[in-house]
Amino acid sequence: MKLTLTYALFVVVAGALSLIVVYLAMRFVPSYPLADVNPQAAAIATRPDILRALAKASGVALLLLALVGLGAGWLIAGRVLRPLQDITRAARRAAHGSLDHRVGLTGPRDEFTELSDTFDDMLGRLQRSFEAQQRFAANASHELRTPLAVSRTMLDVAVADPDGQDYRQLVSRLRETNQRGIDITDALLRLSALEHTPPTMEHLDLADTARAAVEAVREEAGARSITLHADIRPAPATGNGVLLRQLTLNLLQNAVRHNLPTGGTLSLTTGPDPARPGRALLTVTNTGPRLDDTVDRLTEPFLRGSGRLAEQDSTRRGHGLGLAIVASIVRAHHADLRLTANPGGGLTVRASLPGAPEGTTGARKPSEHE
């Protein structure tokens, strides 16, 4: 209705201005009676007669313009606002929990199609977020229930046959199972803290952080016969040293534990980001089984490359929270994380972090190859 009235008012005002110009022009008509070239013809009209006739015709014209402006304005406004009505219906469906509907406007690129595409993209992100939250709730329930169920089973067996139990072994297994539940809870608490508490930032060299993390996993990699390569170059960055060490350690542990059974390789590199000057780049690449196209979902809590269930080998068993914590650390640093499945199997992870001014980290200039 507002657009209709606006269109009608514009048409009436434009018509009125045009008629006023004509009216003023007609004032230059001579005031004496006009006559035909035939001397015997009667006088036609004087200037006052013409102006009065013009005023009456102008009133009728403005009334017609107002009616045409209202009708045409209503049709034009309805056509223009139809895309907004489609977006409104999609918004109502989304408000009631239906996130799978998309507006999908077609036609020339204008403000409405841009708004439609932005709204569809928002719905897609919301849908993926809600699905991830649902998977998290289901997976977290499974992970937290498993230690409790295992403990209850062992206790039920001990109660049913108290004389046939090796209580030293039973206590050891119960302690191990209980510790797993504690570890999962601690990891969830760290994950929650990362999402809500901004870390303290400082200028540091990512090379020092990577070097310490490599030494921490070198023994585990050697026990699995995994060849570890490290090309550690100075990489001035801005971030929290403790969190960045946790990020690097999680990536290396994930690369070791999800590698080939024997004879696999693992490489780590640090240095300036060639694609984005002024940033530091950390890259971890490992061999392993082939991964599908959903590698980006590996950063979801409790999601593993082989599925939701943990490895049977206790030395390879994780909580499914390593990459989720990595993703949270990256978000806390306003950094970028990219996971890519290697064609021959395994995973490549690249973390691009905000850089630091030269000379503020004490980074060593010569490159180091380990």
Side-chain angles (χ1 to χ4, degrees):
M1 180 59 67
K2 290 181 179 179
L3 283 177
T4 299
L5 294 177
T6 301
Y7 294 148
L9 180 62
F10 174 79
V11 170
V12 171
V13 170
L17 291 176
S18 300
L19 293 174
I20 289 173
V21 171
V22 174
Y23 186 87
L24 293 176
M26 291 300 296
R27 295 179 65 86
F28 293 97
V29 174
S31 61
Y32 52 80
L34 299 177
D36 191 83
V37 293
N38 185 1
Q40 298 179 355
I44 298 177
T46 62
R47 182 172 65 183
D49 296 332
I50 295 175
L51 292 179
R52 283 193 296 271
L54 180 60
K56 292 179 181 180
S58 299
V60 175
L62 288 178
L63 179 60
L64 292 176
L65 284 176
L67 296 176
V68 171
L70 289 173
W74 182 267
L75 295 176
I76 294 173
R79 183 177 180 84
V80 169
L81 294 179
R82 188 174 298 119
L84 287 182
Q85 295 171 355
D86 295 338
I87 296 175
T88 300
R89 284 193 292 268
R92 288 198 183 102
R93 295 184 61 174
H96 288 84
S98 176
L99 299 176
D100 56 349
H101 177 69
R102 299 293 182 269
V103 180
L105 287 183
T106 57
R109 301 298 302 174
D110 56 18
E111 289 81 357
F112 289 115
T113 53
E114 291 181 2
L115 176 62
S116 169
D117 293 344
T118 302
F119 187 78
D120 287 345
D121 181 66
M122 181 192 69
L123 287 180
R125 292 170 64 90
L126 285 175
Q127 184 178 15
R128 291 190 295 271
S129 177
F130 280 117
E131 290 175 351
Q133 290 296 328
Q134 291 173 350
R135 288 192 296 268
F136 169 76
N139 295 341
S141 300
H142 172 84
E143 292 289 339
L144 293 173
R145 181 179 181 275
T146 298
L148 298 176
V150 171
S151 299
R152 179 173 179 176
T153 300
M154 288 189 290
L155 291 173
D156 289 343
V157 171
V159 170
D161 185 16
D163 297 330
Q165 298 297 318
D166 184 349
Y167 286 98
R168 184 182 298 274
Q169 181 182 8
L170 176 62
V171 170
S172 177
R173 293 178 61 189
L174 284 173
R175 181 180 179 84
E176 178 183 351
T177 304
N178 181 261
Q179 184 61 44
R180 177 170 176 78
I182 293 174
D183 292 342
I184 293 174
T185 305
D186 288 342
L188 286 173
L189 290 174
R190 290 198 302 272
L191 192 62
S192 176
L194 286 171
E195 295 290 346
H196 299 92
T197 304
T200 302
M201 302 294 185
E202 60 182 345
H203 298 315
L204 49 83
D205 189 356
L206 196 58
D208 298 333
T209 303
R211 194 176 293 109
V214 166
E215 293 302 321
V217 301
R218 190 180 296 277
E219 181 178 354
E220 184 177 357
R224 300 177 185 280
S225 301
I226 296 174
T227 303
L228 177 59
H229 303 282
D231 182 8
I232 301 178
R233 301 173 183 270
T238 301
N240 183 279
V242 175
L243 293 181
L244 291 182
R245 184 181 185 279
Q246 183 69 49
L247 178 146
T248 309
L249 187 61
N250 282 14
L251 289 179
L252 290 175
Q253 289 177 341
N254 182 79
V256 169
R257 295 169 185 176
H258 296 279
N259 214 304
L260 295 174
T262 56
T265 61
L266 187 161
S267 65
L268 176 144
T269 61
T270 62
D273 190 342
R276 304 179 66 181
R279 296 176 70 90
L281 180 65
L282 169 70
T283 304
V284 176
T285 303
N286 64 277
T287 55
R290 288 181 178 271
L291 299 172
D292 54 24
D293 296 332
T294 60
V295 291
D296 290 337
R297 288 179 51 193
L298 294 177
T299 57
E300 293 183 14
F302 302 113
L303 190 65
R304 301 176 177 86
S306 57
R308 188 161 61 106
L309 299 179
E311 298 281 352
Q312 297 299 321
D313 184 0
S314 60
T315 61
R316 292 169 59 90
R317 185 180 303 163
H319 306 307
L321 291 170
L323 290 180
I325 293 176
V326 167
S328 294
I329 294 174
V330 166
R331 285 193 296 270
H333 284 77
H334 304 288
D336 297 323
L337 182 69
R338 185 171 63 178
L339 280 67
T340 307
N342 299 327
L347 185 69
T348 296
V349 182
R350 296 178 179 88
S352 179
L353 299 160
E358 290 290 341
T360 60
T361 63
R364 290 180 287 178
K365 293 297 181 183
S367 63
E368 179 178 335
H369 298 271
E370 299 181 359

